[in-house]
Amino acid sequence: MKIRSWIGATLVGLALVVGPVGSTAWAETLRVVKNGTAETLDVPMNRAIVVESEEPFAELSIANAGIADISSLSDRTIYVLGKAPGLTTLTLFDGAGNLLANVRVRVSPDVSEFKERLRQILPGEPIEVRTANDGIVLSGTISSAAKLARALELAERYAPERVSNLMSVGGVQQVMLKVRFAEMNRSVAKSLTASLGFAGGDVTGGLNTLNNAGALANALNNNIPAVQTNTGAILFGFGAGSTQVRLLLEALESKGLARSLAEPNLSALSGQEATFLAGGEVPIPVPQDDGVIAIEYKAFGVEIDFIPRVVDGDLINLELAAAVSAIDNSSDFTIQGDNVPSFITRQTSTTIELRDGESFAIAGLIQDDFSDLNSQIPWIGDVPVLGALFRSAEYQRQQSELVIIITAHLVSPTRGEALALPTDRVKPPSEFDLFLNGKTARTTRAGAGAASEVAKQDFGSSYGYVLD
């Protein structure tokens, strides 16, 4: 049979006028129903197609009118409208009641507009769109998780809660986080105290600028203290007959410098949480309402908790919490006689965005504490030069500087032999080296591989990090 183009155009126009369709239906194309076939006829939902039979038919029926609606335009043409997703059967008979054709009619959601929007929003992404019953199936490899989320959000607008995601994200999706904690502490303290004692006959007395009974007793007894809080002491004395005068000067000058550095590394899959703790746990007594003491454990050390998300290409979103803590041995807090430790903690919690290999200073602190104290005996301490014997002075200054820097890298696994351990370059000594040569370890050359360069280094000289 030959399809005449002018007949087809006429039928399409007629279908738009007389076909029982809704306001959103329109004739899409011409199909030919071959004699005796049972092929599948795909009809988009809320759209219509016109089919033409090779032979004239006298009767036609549809198995499920809720899935598709039909209307005859002539004895050879049929107008089919998709109403709801599903599969049904269209049957044609001739005037004698003989079967002309049995056609499976499959109605599925119309995804042509969705495909067009997908190409506009995510150009160049190889996303395949298929229909499954009344839903949409997405497949293919997409370049980033953010674009995958956009595609799923768009699909939900066309098929709410009926989207099947078979897409995968290409590229590297594992992130290694390198965190550096660096802290410097400087302290300076100075003090000078004076204690004056005198005795003559039955009279004994003394002056002390800090109300220190021990220092005054040392001055009166002509003793230099063997144990003292200050670092130096000097005792002057003179006598005239039965009168004895003693002057005890105690002085302190201390300077301190402390440096702490921690550099933990941790890797995790994009979107997954990773935690790291290098330290320990301390039992803490906790009183209960019934008077019983329960024990809870408090972690300390270097802690990291982060969730990386590879947003697009090499752009990484980091949700991070990091802390460095240590036990404060100066604490004297007790609960029912049990000593409870306190902790010195430096911690931060933030969310940032950076690219592969970039670094970010997420926290910094400069602290400068200064205090001084001048104590003296009234009036006498104001006398020039001589008044220094009747007063004491204390001076303290503490400075600290803390910075936390993070670096994110996109990483992928490698062969095990390409990795080296810190223990690779040190081996137990032989008995000869231990007893005769006094060596406690035997160094060996590390294995080959780019990752083994650190293990092959000679650490006999200075190494590590230097803060100027």
Side-chain angles (χ1 to χ4, degrees), residues 71-104:
S71 177
S72 61
L73 303 178
S74 69
D75 59 352
R76 290 179 180 269
T77 56
I78 310 167
Y79 190 83
V80 183
L81 169 67
K83 298 176 64 178
L87 188 66
T88 186
T89 304
L90 171 64
T91 307
L92 283 73
F93 299 94
D94 62 9
N98 298 319
L99 177 65
L100 292 179
N102 238 349
V103 181
R104 287 192 299 268

Side-chain angles (χ1 to χ4, degrees), residues 69-390:
D69 201 356
I70 58 173
S71 177
S72 61
L73 303 178
S74 69
D75 59 352
R76 290 179 180 269
T77 56
I78 310 167
Y79 190 83
V80 183
L81 169 67
K83 298 176 64 178
L87 188 66
T88 186
T89 304
L90 171 64
T91 307
L92 283 73
F93 299 94
D94 62 9
N98 298 319
L99 177 65
L100 292 179
N102 238 349
V103 181
R104 287 192 299 268
V105 178
R106 181 170 55 198
V107 179
S108 57
D110 182 18
V111 294
S112 58
E113 182 184 358
F114 171 61
K115 290 180 179 180
E116 181 63 27
R117 294 291 180 268
L118 206 57
R119 283 192 295 268
Q120 294 173 356
I121 297 175
L122 301 174
E125 295 294 337
I127 302 176
E128 298 181 5
V129 181
R130 297 181 178 89
T131 59
N133 198 6
D134 60 343
I136 296 177
V137 179
L138 302 180
S139 60
T141 302
I142 199 166
S143 60
S144 68
K147 292 182 178 180
L148 184 145
R150 293 192 201 109
L152 292 177
E153 182 180 359
L154 182 61
E156 285 289 336
R157 294 184 176 275
Y158 287 86
E161 299 181 357
R162 299 190 305 275
V163 178
S164 298
N165 178 24
L166 302 181
M167 293 185 294
S168 59
V169 180
V172 179
Q173 295 296 309
Q174 296 182 110
V175 179
M176 184 189 75
L177 187 66
K178 180 179 180 181
V179 183
R180 287 178 287 175
F181 297 86
E183 184 177 14
M184 295 291 295
N185 291 291
R186 304 175 184 87
S187 62
V188 176
K190 298 179 182 181
S191 68
L192 177 65
T193 61
S195 299
L196 178 65
F198 59 89
D202 296 332
V203 179
T204 301
L207 297 174
N208 182 266
T209 55
L210 286 181
N211 195 24
N212 189 336
L216 182 59
N218 287 323
L220 293 174
N221 294 327
N222 198 24
N223 293 327
I224 295 179
V227 179
Q228 55 187 352
T229 57
N230 294 325
T231 56
I234 185 171
L235 180 65
F236 298 96
F238 63 90
S242 61
T243 301
Q244 301 291 326
V245 178
R246 299 290 183 266
L247 175 64
L248 177 64
L249 298 178
E250 295 180 274
L252 164 70
E253 181 176 4
S254 64
K255 299 179 181 179
L257 177 65
R259 182 192 74 176
S260 61
L261 178 69
E263 189 171 330
N265 297 340
L266 187 61
S267 299
L269 188 65
S270 175
Q272 300 298 315
E273 183 179 9
T275 60
F276 176 89
L277 171 63
E281 293 184 340
V282 176
I284 304 295
V286 179
Q288 305 297 311
D289 294 338
D290 54 1
V292 178
I293 300 296
I295 298 297
E296 294 183 1
Y297 287 87
K298 167 69 175 179
F300 70 95
V302 180
E303 299 177 75
I304 300 177
D305 187 352
F306 84 108
I307 302 176
R309 295 180 179 89
V310 181
V311 180
D312 190 4
D314 62 347
L315 186 62
I316 304 169
N317 179 283
L318 283 177
E319 185 178 343
L320 169 70
V324 174
S325 58
I327 299 177
D328 184 6
N329 295 320
S330 62
S331 172
D332 56 357
F333 180 68
T334 60
I335 295 180
Q336 296 185 5
D338 295 326
N339 187 37
V340 179
S342 60
F343 297 88
I344 302 173
T345 305
R346 286 81 72 199
Q347 63 182 4
T348 180
S349 177
T350 184
T351 301
I352 63 171
E353 202 166 74
L354 69 171
R355 295 192 178 274
D356 177 29
E358 293 183 340
S359 298
F360 215 117
I362 62 172
L365 172 66
I366 297 178
Q367 186 173 353
D368 192 348
D369 297 329
F370 169 80
S371 65
D372 61 0
L373 175 64
N374 193 357
S375 301
Q376 66 178 25
I377 297 175
W379 304 301
I380 303 178
D382 294 330
V383 177
V385 182
L386 185 62
L389 302 177
F390 301 93

Side-chain angles (χ1 to χ4, degrees), residues 39 52 55 99 135 143 149 155 163 237 320 327 426 432 443:
E39 296 181 355
E52 187 177 82
E55 297 182 8
L99 177 65
S143 60
V163 178
L320 169 70
I327 299 177
V426 179
F432 178 83
T443 59

